[in-house]
């Protein structure tokens, strides 16, 4: 019974809730589940999730992070059910890409 | 008591029917458990759950799910106590399971595919690289049309259907269907909470089950507003200029 109680206190206490931490590369994507509370910032959750050990290329000081497709500051607090996503930069410049597409369209028409 | 959604064999049939009858699951739940949960809307409904509800109510035919294929139709038919019928070709063709991948050299980080994905399987944000999380991807292809640079492609998912591997595949499909279902539910809840926050008043129907593309009251309201504006505009432009 003591074990059950310990489990309750550790994992099911009211203040703790489940969040996800995700990182994705074309060859490997990972969504980790971990527990957090409202006092934690996105940074703390990412660090405590251990995703930085799995993907050593993540630089937490420069990477942009967000929750469900919306950019957030790394200092923001987490809330219940969040999926904290660590993003990678784009390979191409969207403006340049647009210019190129416009030129191609002009040429073809 | 957990019940097996697979069609029972021989004398297990009675046991199965009793088990499903007394497990407290509605008919819609049981249809929903058979559907592959791709949330692809090829049936014409907003997702697998609304279609399952329509089938349970007897409004929709049982042959409108291309990803479920012949097997799915057979199982729904048995559940509903009907004869299996061939797939409705208007809904599409049964294809082997595919997953999406994004061409990193073309993605401009526009987020349109993220908004289209019914199960949050695309990882990315505005002007950040978008990546498909392949085990989360249902292969619904809903992300393909919105992409302005056509950088999303489908590739066959590694799957076999023979022998032990096939058996494992079956298990894996059920497992991923559960995952898709859960992700889709979570997404709907999240979007609804967001809408409620924005509008300041609660929206009633959390899962618009009856909303087929044609007779959505909200869509009708939007259409009416567009017509009004158009009428106003044309009356303005008709006036002689001062």
């Amino acid at each position: 019974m003591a074990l059950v109680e310990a489990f309750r206190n550790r994992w099911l206490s009211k203040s703790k809730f489940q969040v996800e931490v995700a990182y994705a590369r074309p060859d490997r994507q990972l969504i980790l589940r971990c527990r957090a509370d409202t006092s934690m910032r996105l940074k703390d959750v990412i660090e405590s999730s251990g995703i930085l050990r799995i993907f050593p290329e993540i630089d937490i000081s420069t990477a942009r992070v967000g929750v469900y497709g919306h950019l957030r500051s790394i200092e923001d607090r987490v809330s219940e059910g969040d999926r904290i996503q660590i993003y990678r930069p784009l390979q191409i410049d969207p403006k340049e890409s647009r210019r190129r597409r416009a030129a191609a369209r002009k040429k073809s028409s | 008591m957990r019940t097996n959604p697979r069609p029972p064999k021989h004398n297990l049939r009675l046991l199965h029917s009793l088990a499903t009858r007394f497990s407290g699951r509605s008919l819609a739940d049981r249809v929903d458990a058979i559907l592959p949960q791709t949330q692809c809307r090829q049936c014409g409904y907003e997702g697998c759950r609304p279609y399952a509800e329509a089938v349970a109510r007897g409004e929709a035919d049982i042959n409108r799910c291309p990803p479920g294929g012949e097997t799915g139709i057979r199982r729904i038919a048995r559940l509903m106590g009907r004869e299996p019928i061939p797939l409705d070709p208007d809904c599409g063709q049964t294809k082997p399971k595919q997953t999406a991948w994004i061409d990193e050299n073309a993605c401009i980080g526009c987020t349109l595919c993220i908004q289209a994905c019914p199960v949050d399987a695309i990882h990315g944000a505005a002007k950040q690289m978008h990546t498909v999380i392949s085990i989360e991807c249902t292969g619904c292809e809903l992300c393909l049309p919105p992409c302005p640079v056509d950088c999303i492609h489908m590739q066959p998912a590694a799957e076999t259907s023979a022998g032990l591997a096939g058996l494992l595949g079956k298990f894996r499909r059920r497992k991923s269907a559960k995952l898709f279902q859960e992700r889709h539910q979570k997404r709907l809840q999240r979007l609804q909470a967001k809408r409620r926050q924005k509008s300041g008043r609660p929206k009633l129907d959390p899962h618009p089950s009856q909303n087929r593309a044609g007779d959505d009251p909200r869509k009708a309201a939007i259409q009416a507003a567009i017509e009004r504006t158009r009428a106003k505009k044309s009356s303005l432009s008709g006036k002689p200029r001062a």
Side-chain angles (χ1 to χ4, degrees):
Chain A
M1 285 323 275
L3 252 177
V4 173
E5 278 306 304
F7 176 79
R8 280 228 175 104
N9 291 339
R10 177 77 181 78
W11 298 104
L12 301 177
S13 55
K14 272 275 186 296
S15 57
K16 286 244 175 187
F17 45 77
Q18 187 172 287
V19 293
E20 292 171 326
V21 179
Y23 183 71
R25 279 190 325 220
D27 57 327
R28 190 176 177 204
Q29 307 95 28
L30 197 64
I31 301 176
L32 292 175
R33 282 185 185 174
C34 52
R35 301 198 65 86
D37 60 64
T38 45
S39 70
M40 291 171 94
R41 297 174 191 281
L42 300 189
K43 189 173 64 183
D44 306 328
V45 182
I46 291 168
E47 275 163 5
S48 72
S49 72
I51 201 157
L52 301 176
R53 279 197 301 273
I54 302 169
F55 295 102
E57 75 264 28
I58 301 174
D59 181 359
I60 195 76
S61 56
T62 56
R64 304 296 309 269
V65 299
V67 172
Y68 277 119
H70 294 280
L71 287 167
R72 290 270 198 91
S73 159
I74 199 148
E75 301 291 340
D76 277 4
R77 293 192 190 278
V78 285
S79 45
E80 190 164 359
D82 279 357
R83 182 189 290 173
I84 301 158
Q85 301 172 316
I86 306 164
Y87 303 122
R88 290 176 301 128
L90 289 173
Q91 303 268 338
I92 54 159
D93 177 15
K95 285 184 190 164
E96 189 51 47
S97 157
R98 185 181 168 77
R99 236 168 264 137
R100 236 181 303 141
R101 269 180 295 140
R105 216 172 299 140
K106 218 176 214 174
K107 210 180 271 175
S108 68
S109 67
Chain B
M1 179 172 194
R2 280 195 54 190
T3 52
N4 194 339
R6 253 191 305 164
K9 279 180 187 128
H10 315 300
N11 54 356
L12 283 176
R13 195 175 295 172
L14 177 70
L15 189 65
H16 181 269
S17 76
L18 285 174
T20 47
R21 198 142 302 158
F22 294 108
S23 63
R25 298 195 307 169
S26 68
L27 187 58
D29 290 335
R30 281 144 71 189
V31 177
D32 202 23
I34 294 171
L35 296 175
Q37 303 299 324
T38 54
Q39 316 296 345
C40 62
R41 305 187 194 173
Q42 289 183 83
C43 53
Y45 290 83
E46 293 283 296
C48 297
R49 180 74 203 181
Y51 174 53
E53 284 169 5
V55 169
R57 280 196 306 267
E59 286 169 16
D61 218 335
I62 59 170
N63 63 344
R64 301 188 61 85
C65 179
E70 208 182 295
T71 327
I73 293 170
R74 206 167 51 234
R75 285 162 60 179
I76 299 173
R78 182 166 301 190
L79 180 64
M80 305 287 292
R82 299 182 39 179
E83 282 300 306
I85 44 176
L87 179 72
D88 188 343
D90 292 347
C91 299
Q93 297 296 321
T94 304
K95 286 184 285 192
K97 176 155 194 275
Q98 295 182 307
T99 52
W101 64 274
I102 292 176
D103 183 357
E104 305 235 316
N105 294 320
C107 176
I108 55 171
C110 71
T111 76
L112 290 177
C113 56
I114 296 175
Q115 293 160 39
C117 181
V119 290
D120 293 317
I122 302 176
H123 179 106
K127 291 182 186 158
Q128 307 296 317
M129 182 57 76
H130 295 1
T131 316
V132 176
I133 304 170
S134 28
I135 54 160
E136 305 264 329
C137 177
T138 71
C140 67
E141 303 188 5
L142 290 176
C143 53
L144 301 186
C147 181
V149 290
D150 291 329
C151 70
I152 309 178
H153 309 282
M154 303 304 292
Q155 65 185 0
E159 262 190 338
T160 48
S161 53
L164 186 62
L167 215 76
L168 280 174
K170 226 174 202 173
F171 173 68
R172 223 174 277 142
R173 267 197 295 283
R174 278 314 314 160
K175 211 175 156 200
S176 54
K178 273 204 181 121
L179 176 76
F180 299 155
Q181 192 176 28
E182 188 188 311
R183 296 291 195 208
H184 184 59
Q185 284 308 328
K186 282 250 174 75
R187 179 184 170 82
L188 289 178
Q189 279 165 15
R190 197 180 74 242
L191 295 183
Q192 198 211 355
K194 207 173 207 179
R195 265 203 307 274
R196 201 185 293 151
Q197 227 173 27
K198 254 184 194 164
S199 67
R201 65 193 165 90
K203 286 270 193 320
L204 277 176
D205 194 357
H207 203 123
S209 50
Q210 289 105 308
N211 285 348
R212 300 195 60 175
D215 46 32
D216 186 339
R218 283 171 297 179
K219 276 184 189 153
I222 292 167
Q223 195 56 39
I226 292 170
E227 295 297 332
R228 268 203 306 280
T229 317
R230 205 170 277 158
K232 204 182 267 178
K233 261 189 188 163
S234 65
S235 73
L236 278 180
S237 62
K239 276 183 196 163
R241 276 186 199 171

